[in-house]
Amino acid sequence: MAQTPLRTESCPVPPPGSRGIDEILAAARARLRRLDPEQAHLAYRAGALLVDIRPAGQRAAHGTVPGALAVERNVLEWRFDPRCAARLPEAVDYDVPVVVLCQEGYTSSLAAAALQEIGLRHATDVVGGFAAWRIAGLPTLGPTPPSRPSSTAPPVTAGRALR
């Protein structure tokens, strides 16, 4: 049985001034007052906008939070910048509290920091993302589990009639 060779080459030398993703994520999170799922739920119930930035396929596969705005990551800044003609009606000013939710709480940190950069000073995210929200037992919808065959239905056989 063939083994996969181990990677022995080193990382290329980064260009001057560049930062790795771990540094970028740490810098983003240093600016946020991140919320655990329970705190995020309370903020949402108090009027914060809960924004799910996961792609449609992820929302379909894992479920959604009832009432959360689905705004995929690739258009987030345009939908929440009060200066932008493509903004959502909810993006009325820079004091709108926005709580960003992704699947596990990584992309949401970068997205919330980007919203802060356009002036939404109350933007933050959920520690652990949707996965942590669900584990905390907070309200979710779906995904719809696959249906099980009825125990009263006859078994399906391929190409044979039952006698």
Side-chain angles (χ1 to χ4, degrees):
M1 183 143 136
Q3 286 186 317
T4 305
L6 296 174
R7 285 188 69 163
T8 56
E9 71 265 11
S10 64
C11 293
V13 176
S18 68
R19 297 182 298 159
I21 188 59
D22 291 335
E23 292 173 276
I24 293 168
L25 182 61
R29 287 180 171 170
R31 297 170 28 192
L32 304 174
R33 186 176 100 22
R34 302 183 76 212
L35 305 177
D36 67 31
E38 292 83 4
Q39 291 169 322
H41 186 243
L42 289 173
Y44 169 64
R45 291 186 60 190
L49 298 175
L50 184 61
V51 181
D52 189 338
I53 62 167
R54 297 174 300 153
Q58 235 178 7
R59 292 190 311 271
H62 297 281
T64 60
V65 174
L69 293 172
V71 180
E72 292 192 17
R73 177 64 189 99
N74 63 326
V75 296
L76 183 69
E77 290 87 348
W78 286 271
R79 300 300 180 255
F80 280 94
D81 185 348
R83 295 169 276 226
C84 184
R87 72 183 176 276
L88 293 171
E90 294 87 352
V92 294
D93 62 40
Y94 297 96
D95 289 321
V96 173
V98 177
V99 179
V100 183
L101 182 73
C102 70
Q103 187 61 31
E104 294 182 354
Y106 293 94
T107 305
S108 59
S109 294
L110 300 175
L115 291 177
Q116 284 187 353
E117 286 184 29
I118 63 173
L120 298 171
R121 53 188 151 265
H122 301 294
T124 192
D125 76 323
V126 179
V127 175
F130 180 80
W133 181 283
R134 180 170 284 237
I135 288 168
L138 295 168
T140 60
L141 297 172
T144 305
S147 61
R148 292 187 167 175
S150 167
S151 59
T152 59
V156 176
T157 57
R160 280 196 346 228
L162 295 175
R163 295 183 193 242

